[in-house]
């Protein structure tokens, strides 16, 4: 006789790490850019979570198909597809969380900053709609360059008078995921049990892994530490090169985006002690935005946990990141100021 097979309903823990409880909640979550390389697998992971009650999929292409496809999965999240700018208000209405992987990805030879010309307008338009139609939602921006798209989001929310710094996040989780994986590979550990905070920004040398704060503690000689740090900083480019023109990280980014979304949903749902790093408005350094570990709660950021104790090597990395970070932030702020 056939026994009933356990269904692979993913709690975040079902993703392989015990970073989320298996609690249920009925959050309405929108994915903006849902038909893309990140958007589709991210939407699949969200559809498979008991934390999501409604999944609102928005894009300028293909959302009816993506939504129809996902809606047949035997989990309770109700899926709806929205196509084109005139359907965006309906997609956002009542959302408690918006996850945004809309915009163009890198091709070989491009930096994240090269995406600014296209993605700045995409993010400004989409976040303006969020500020109008779901001003209370948690806004999780994946679209690059994150070091500029978060200042853009902030300035748009400020312009519309609905700004709350505790609810706007630049998703840098993929840097943490990569750091955990690479440290585990190097030290022969289970990656699901390695935790490396990554601070700073989300581009090249602004990505600062704090190997000295790795849990469990790891000893890595300086030459290997230098190479490991550079690999984490350039890991996105490793994928861009390997994909040879077909885009940047999508599957690992979908995993990372889902990890961040589940952590935040858990915290919104009352789970205590949830900590994730993200690129946010910050007073921890001279840079007005900076990623550090954040204690998350019902209303977003509950407490910024700061940089912690850095090694001399890490202090140097922070100092070296400052000018690029500040320039990218200013570029985002100026874009909104100069926009009609
Ligand atoms: P993609 O081209 O495969 O998908 C992007 C999607 O956005 C497409 O479906 C497109 O139709 C949609 N889109 C474009 N303009 C839109 C608009 N105005 N409104 C709604 N949807 C719109 O790209 P991808 O590989 O999924 O990457 C998406 C973004 O994520 C890129 O900017 C990329 O650089 C970024 N990214 C960020 C990280 C990170 O760590 N934060 C990692 C990887 C990629």
């Amino acid at each position: 006789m056939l026994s009933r097979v356990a269904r692979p309903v993913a709690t975040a823990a079902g993703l392989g790490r015990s970073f989320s409880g298996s609690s249920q909640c009925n959050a309405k979550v929108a994915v903006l850019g849902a038909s893309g390389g990140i958007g589709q697998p991210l939407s699949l992971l969200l559809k498979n979570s008991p934390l999501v009650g409604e999944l609102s999929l928005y894009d300028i292409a293909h959302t009816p198909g993506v939504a129809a496809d996902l809606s047949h999965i035997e989990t309770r999240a109700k899926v709806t597809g929205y196509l084109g700018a005139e359907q965006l208000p309906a997609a956002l209405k009542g959302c408690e969380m918006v996850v945004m992987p809309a915009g163009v990805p890198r091709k070989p030879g491009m930096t994240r900053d090269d995406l600014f010309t296209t993605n700045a307008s995409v993010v400004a338009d989409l976040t303006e709609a969020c500020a109008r139609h779901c001003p209370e939602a948690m806004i999780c921006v994946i679209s690059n360059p994150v070091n500029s798209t978060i200042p853009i989001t902030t300035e748009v929310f400020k312009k519309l008078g609905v700004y709350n710094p505790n609810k706007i996040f630049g998703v840098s989780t993929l840097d943490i995921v990569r750091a955990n994986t690479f440290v585990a590979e190097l030290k022969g550990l289970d990656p699901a049990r390695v935790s490396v905070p990554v601070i700073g920004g989300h581009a090249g040398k602004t990505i600062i892994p704090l190997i000295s704060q790795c849990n469990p503690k790891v000893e890595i000689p300086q030459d290997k530490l230098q190479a490991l740090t550079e690999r984490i900083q350039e890991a996105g480019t490793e994928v861009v090169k390997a994909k040879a023109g077909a885009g940047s990280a999508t599957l690992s980014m979908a995993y990372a985006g889902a990890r961040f979304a589940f952590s935040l949903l858990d915290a919104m749902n009352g789970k205590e002690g949830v900590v994730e790093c993200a690129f946010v408005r910050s007073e921890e350094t001279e840079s007005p935005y900076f990623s550090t570990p954040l204690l998350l709660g019902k209303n977003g950021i509950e407490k910024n946990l700061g940089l912690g104790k850095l090694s001399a090597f890490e202090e140097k990395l922070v100092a070296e990141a400052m000018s690029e970070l500040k320039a990218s932030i200013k570029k985002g702020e100026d874009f909104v100021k100069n926009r009609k």
Side-chain angles (χ1 to χ4, degrees), residues 61 71 109 119 136 219 280 294 307 339:
S71 72
N119 289 356
E136 296 292 320
E219 294 298 334
V280 296
L294 308 167
L307 288 72
R339 211 170 177 242

Side-chain angles (χ1 to χ4, degrees), residues 100 115-128 131 139 141 143-159 163 168 279 281 289 328-337 339:
M100 197 181 303
L115 304 172
F116 187 93
T117 319
T118 309
N119 289 356
S121 316
V122 170
V123 171
D125 289 346
L126 292 175
T127 52
E128 185 173 328
I139 309 294
V141 180
S143 316
N144 271 319
V146 167
N147 292 356
S148 301
T149 54
I150 289 305
I152 289 175
T153 304
T154 297
E155 293 305 314
V156 166
F157 269 67
K158 274 189 193 163
K159 258 193 178 173
Y163 174 52
I168 295 176
F279 187 67
R281 184 86 197 171
Y289 295 81
S328 302
I329 291 164
K330 184 164 186 312
K331 193 168 171 183
E333 290 175 340
D334 287 348
F335 176 80
V336 179
K337 280 182 196 138
R339 211 170 177 242

